[in-house]
Amino acid sequence: MIADTLFIPCLFVLCVVIKAVFWSGFVLSQDAPLCKIPGPIWAVFSRIWLSKVLASGDSAEQLLEVNQQYGKTKRPIFRQQSLTVIEGPLARIGPKHLITSDLAVTYRIMSTASRYKRAEWFDALRIDPHVKNIVSETDSTEHNRLRYIMSAGYAGKDNQGMQAAVDDILVAWIRRLRKQWASESGQARDFDIGQQIQFLAVDITTKLCLGESFRCIEEDRDQHAFLDTVKTATPVSLQLSLFPELTRALYHLTKLASIRRLLVPSADDKSGIGTVMRICLTVEAVSSAID
């Protein structure tokens, strides 16, 4: 009876071990460019190493250490179907993941004329698994088209009051700091500058994009739980980007209305990203009515 109970789990473990040994030998036997890039030994065989690093809370420090340890020399990377060679300090942090500290490499990959294609991990950046956005769009032609459409907004040429709006919020922020957080003689006050800079960034961004700020500085709190939602969702997005299989599973699961209501933000939500979506829809409706 016990043997029958343990048979299936043992068979599963055996299959996993056989597959792991097979793929380890397969990877080691390949004369591919990535095999020449040094990195942590476990990172070569599995994405679990990188997953653990991303979930650690100090991934930036760990990845910087890896880049400094393994990426000391410049190594050529040959692109498939191209004669282009990119060089830079590189370290391998996954079976198909590299990290570099070379800004020239980064600019070359991210430029509008880049021939590098966006991988499917960008799908993890969708707010709604079924709706692409300018950040998650993987088709190069469509992505460049969206960038062109939004370029005027990023340049700020059509927003004549942009500089004045930024100045007003910045002045209000400095006044708030002096009034509430400035230490007095003999009495020091603890000050979370990271949080306050986030409030400043949110208020400036929403003022320029929506016409009204979220008033995080004025209220001295995270309005609509926006920052808290981003903080909670970011680790999840990182893991989904590392395991596109989970992203695809989420895409199919959210076809069910009951699961979609639980996992996907909507304009009916009372806080978080849903609130931002509702405000954006309102601003868009007003703008369309004026036009």
Side-chain angles (χ1 to χ4, degrees), residues 222-262:
D222 178 15
Q223 293 283 74
H224 310 302
F226 174 72
L227 292 171
D228 184 63
T229 302
V230 172
K231 182 179 179 180
T232 303
T234 298
V236 178
S237 296
L238 288 174
Q239 295 297 329
L240 289 176
S241 69
L242 188 57
F243 298 97
E245 303 90 341
L246 298 179
T247 305
R248 291 194 293 270
L250 184 63
Y251 174 86
H252 293 292
L253 284 174
T254 50
K255 290 180 180 179
L256 302 175
S258 57
I259 296 180
R260 182 181 179 84
R261 284 194 295 268
L262 292 175

Side-chain angles (χ1 to χ4, degrees), residues 21 45 47-48 97 133 194 198 212 238 242 269 273 282 291:
V21 172
F45 302 109
R47 291 171 289 177
I48 295 178
H97 293 78
N133 55 60
Q198 287 181 329
E212 294 292 338
L238 288 174
L242 188 57
D269 296 342
I273 301 298
T282 302
D291 293 340

Side-chain angles (χ1 to χ4, degrees), residues 104-125:
V105 173
T106 304
Y107 290 149
R108 192 169 191 174
I109 292 174
M110 300 300 293
S111 68
T112 54
S114 173
R115 289 182 288 177
Y116 284 84
K117 295 182 179 180
R118 291 183 156 209
E120 62 177 341
W121 70 262
F122 277 89
D123 290 341
L125 302 177

Side-chain angles (χ1 to χ4, degrees), residues 6-7 10 15 53 63 78 82-83 133 144 176 222 250:
L6 295 178
F7 176 76
C10 290
C15 292
V53 170
L63 293 177
F78 294 85
S82 172
L83 298 177
N133 55 60
N144 289 334
R176 184 78 179 186
D222 178 15
L250 184 63

